[in-house]
Amino acid sequence: MDLHILDHKLRVTSITKTGLQQYTHPLIKLIFLRNRTRCKFFSLTETPENYTVVLDEEGFKELKPSEHLQVEGSTWFPLNVVSNGNASSSSQAVGVTKIAKSVIAPLAEQHVSVFMLSTYQTDFILVREKDLSVVVETLLEEFNIFREEGGESVPVHSQDACNGLQRNGREVPHARVHPVLIPENQFCVMSLDPDTLPAIATTLIDVLFYSNRYESCCFLLLSGELWRMVRIGGQPLGFDECGIVAQISQPLADSDISAYYISTFSFDHALVPEEDIVSVTEMLQAQRKDMSS
């Protein structure tokens, strides 16, 4: 398999619910008016607490500083795994489950904190720029690693980890046993062709900016099944603790259960098939009991 380090320097930000009105124009510009901005990577996730916006440096310029905007101090690079052009079978688990053992667990063992963004087609693993050398050294035996530069994929070799990529040089706390919450909401996972956005702009604006009108909201082609959420964390998780994603994705991978994983500024979230929610609940409760004893 191939691992690509994408050519995007990303920032992770949070907009308060009360401050959304101040950022409505730049967000609409970033979502619907792509020809009016040079932003090439953009993600918006709404939670009950806030809006998490992940975007590249060009998009970040659109967000003016204010008391309603929080910015995590690091620069992040997105990684994604490519299975050498072989599409996964429909019977195989999808989402973070596919990379739990090959990527997520090894990085957790090396004290690398990750920020996950699962989408319909791929899973983006965000790592801090200063952790890139550790990522390369850790995963080079398992993957062919490429770094995108100027639109081309350049192979990364072991010596490159020591040339221009510094070790993080810090101790990162291992993941604690965080409580999980499983709300009753049902979710669907969708993919939209960017060219169709103008035709459904009104509907999307309603969902994005007036979501309190909806009891159950679609979470961004339609998968044909419903999903349930597992929310991780009783208090805001922060960004330094490592192993949180692995703590959830590993048992799901062991049971071959598909999962989309979405990190946000305050909490993490996993979406699992509704048909598996009972077994997932029992599994995570047993895991927490074992880890706390």
Side-chain angles (χ1 to χ4, degrees):
M1 290 192 296
D2 297 340
L3 179 76
H4 289 254
I5 304 172
L6 305 184
D7 191 18
H8 302 296
K9 291 187 176 183
L10 305 181
R11 305 302 300 271
V12 179
T13 72
S14 170
I15 298 174
T16 65
K17 289 295 184 75
T18 56
L20 178 63
Q21 184 176 0
Q22 182 173 334
Y23 290 95
T24 299
H25 179 266
L27 290 177
I28 289 178
K29 180 180 178 181
L30 289 164
I31 297 170
F32 298 105
L33 305 175
R34 293 178 296 146
N35 59 336
R36 299 275 299 276
T37 174
R38 297 172 63 183
C39 180
K40 302 299 182 184
F41 192 108
F42 175 84
S43 170
L44 171 66
T45 307
E46 181 188 2
T47 63
E49 298 78 25
N50 50 41
Y51 297 87
T52 296
V53 182
V54 181
L55 67 180
D56 62 24
E57 292 182 322
E58 289 296 328
F60 183 62
K61 294 176 182 178
E62 302 286 343
L63 304 182
K64 303 304 181 185
S66 80
E67 61 181 351
H68 298 290
L69 179 71
Q70 282 186 276
V71 182
E72 201 281 325
S74 304
T75 298
W76 300 74
F77 274 86
L79 321 175
N80 77 320
V81 174
V82 179
S83 302
N84 296 327
N86 297 323
S88 299
S89 166
S90 59
S91 62
Q92 292 179 322
V94 300
V96 71
T97 303
K98 297 183 300 184
I99 57 173
K101 296 180 180 179
S102 59
V103 180
I104 303 300
L107 293 182
E109 292 172 0
Q110 295 301 317
H111 296 183
V112 174
S113 178
V114 302
F115 188 98
M116 279 295 308
L117 287 176
S118 291
T119 71
Y120 189 85
Q121 295 178 320
T122 191
D123 297 282
F124 295 103
I125 310 109
L126 276 59
V127 299
R128 286 184 170 98
E129 182 176 20
K130 55 188 174 184
D131 289 336
L132 278 177
S133 64
V134 180
V135 171
V136 171
E137 291 179 0
T138 302
L139 302 179
L140 199 53
E141 291 186 8
E142 180 76 20
F143 294 94
N144 300 313
I145 299 181
F146 299 87
R147 184 164 187 172
E148 291 190 358
E149 296 180 0
E152 297 187 3
S153 297
V154 180
V156 175
H157 305 289
S158 57
Q159 62 267 27
D160 295 332
C162 300
N163 297 331
L165 298 177
Q166 299 181 351
R167 287 183 170 275
N168 55 24
R170 58 189 174 88
E171 286 294 327
V172 182
H174 280 289
R176 301 186 299 273
V177 182
H178 292 284
V180 296
L181 175 67
I182 302 177
E184 294 297 323
N185 303 62
Q186 295 172 314
F187 294 84
C188 55
V189 181
M190 307 173 66
S191 175
L192 299 174
D193 185 332
D195 292 335
T196 67
L197 287 179
I200 59 173
T202 301
T203 301
L204 281 181
I205 289 173
D206 274 350
V207 171
L208 292 171
F209 300 109
Y210 304 98
S211 58
N212 58 329
R213 298 180 184 177
Y214 302 90
E215 293 182 4
S216 182
C217 176
C218 292
F219 205 81
L220 223 199
L221 266 290
L222 186 59
S223 67
E225 61 182 325
L226 293 175
W227 299 73
R228 292 284 298 278
M229 176 194 291
V230 178
R231 169 170 152 152
I232 301 96
Q235 297 180 344
L237 299 173
F239 293 88
D240 290 329
E241 188 177 342
C242 67
I244 299 175
V245 181
Q247 189 182 104
I248 300 297
S249 63
Q250 190 69 47
L252 296 178
D254 291 340
S255 300
D256 201 31
I257 296 175
S258 298
Y260 291 96
Y261 199 102
I262 300 99
S263 299
T264 67
F265 205 88
S266 300
F267 300 100
D268 283 7
H269 310 78
L271 296 179
V272 299
E274 186 174 38
E275 63 189 29
D276 294 319
I277 191 62
V278 174
S279 59
V280 169
T281 302
E282 295 173 349
M283 180 192 312
L284 294 178
Q285 288 176 343
Q287 179 196 50
R288 270 139 189 77
K289 183 177 179 180
D290 292 341
M291 295 179 70
S292 60
S293 60

